[in-house]
C-alpha cells in the first residue's frame, strides 16, 4: 500500500482496498511488470510498447536496421511525447516506432517502477495512444 500510495491501510495483514480508478489496469499496471520494461531511472514507452506487441499480441517485429543513426539531441524542456516525436521524425525510425511508441505511451501515467502519477517534470502526462495494425508477421 505504501509503495503504490494507497491511503488508509494499516497493519501487516493482507486486506482488500480500493485502488481507485487510475489503478484499474490490472496485471499490466503492477510494478513488477512496469519496472521490467523501463529504464532504471525513467519509463520506456519503447520497451513497454515492444512488450505488448511481441508478448501479448504475438507479433514479430523486425529488428532495428543496422544503420540506425545516433539519436539527435532533444529539447530537455519538452514532454516525453514531444521528445519522442523529435527523434522519430527520421523515416527509418518512424517505420517501426509508429507501431511501438503509441502503445507504450498508454503506460505513461505509471512511473519506472509502477507508481501512478499525473505529471512529469511539472507537465501533464498525455497517455493517449492507439493500436495501429502492425505489418509484422505472426509466426508464433
Amino acid at each position: 500500500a505504501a509503495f503504490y500510495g494507497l491511503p488508509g491501510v494499516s497493519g501487516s495483514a493482507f486486506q482488500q482496498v480500493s485502488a481507485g480508478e487510475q489503478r484499474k489496469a490490472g496485471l499490466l499496471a503492477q510494478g513488477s511488470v512496469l519496472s521490467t520494461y523501463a529504464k532504471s531511472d525513467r519509463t520506456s514507452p519503447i520497451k513497454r510498447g515492444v512488450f505488448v506487441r511481441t508478448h501479448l499480441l504475438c507479433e514479430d517485429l523486425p529488428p532495428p536496421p543496422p544503420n540506425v543513426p545516433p539519436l539527435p539531441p532533444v529539447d530537455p524542456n519538452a514532454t516525453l511525447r514531444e521528445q519522442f516525436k523529435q527523434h522519430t521524425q527520421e523515416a527509418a525510425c518512424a517505420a517501426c516506432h509508429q507501431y511501438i511508441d503509441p502503445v507504450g505511451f498508454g503506460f505513461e501515467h505509471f512511473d519506472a517502477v509502477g507508481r501512478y502519477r499525473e505529471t512529469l517534470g511539472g507537465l501533464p502526462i498525455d497517455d493517449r495512444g492507439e493500436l495501429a495494425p502492425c505489418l509484422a508477421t505472426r509466426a508464433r
Side-chain angles (χ1 to χ4, degrees):
F3 178 81
Y4 289 114
L6 301 176
V9 178
S10 62
S12 60
F14 282 107
Q15 49 192 289
Q16 185 173 350
V17 297
S18 173
E21 288 298 313
Q22 72 267 23
R23 298 271 341 153
K24 289 196 175 188
L27 179 66
L28 296 179
Q30 289 188 3
S32 60
V33 174
L34 292 169
S35 63
T36 299
Y37 300 101
K39 306 282 187 180
S40 62
D41 61 341
R42 63 181 173 84
T43 65
S44 176
I46 295 170
K47 286 183 175 186
R48 291 173 176 179
V50 168
F51 165 70
V52 170
R53 287 282 188 184
T54 60
H55 289 51
L56 301 178
L57 300 177
C58 300
E59 295 176 339
D60 291 322
L61 298 174
N67 57 348
V68 173
L71 292 177
V74 294
D75 179 358
N77 297 316
T79 66
L80 186 67
R81 184 181 288 269
E82 291 167 341
Q83 290 176 357
F84 270 70
K85 186 176 181 180
Q86 290 173 15
H87 92 254
T88 57
Q89 289 178 337
E90 293 285 329
C93 298
C96 290
H97 283 273
Q98 67 181 322
Y99 302 111
I100 298 168
D101 297 358
V103 176
F105 283 128
F107 296 98
E108 275 305 294
H109 270 292
F110 301 100
D111 70 9
V113 295
R115 290 182 290 238
Y116 187 81
R117 62 193 180 170
E118 289 285 336
T119 61
L120 177 61
L123 300 171
I125 292 173
D126 180 0
D127 68 348
R128 291 174 297 143
E130 61 183 55
L131 188 60
C134 188
L135 301 177
T137 60
R138 295 178 179 261
R140 292 182 190 200

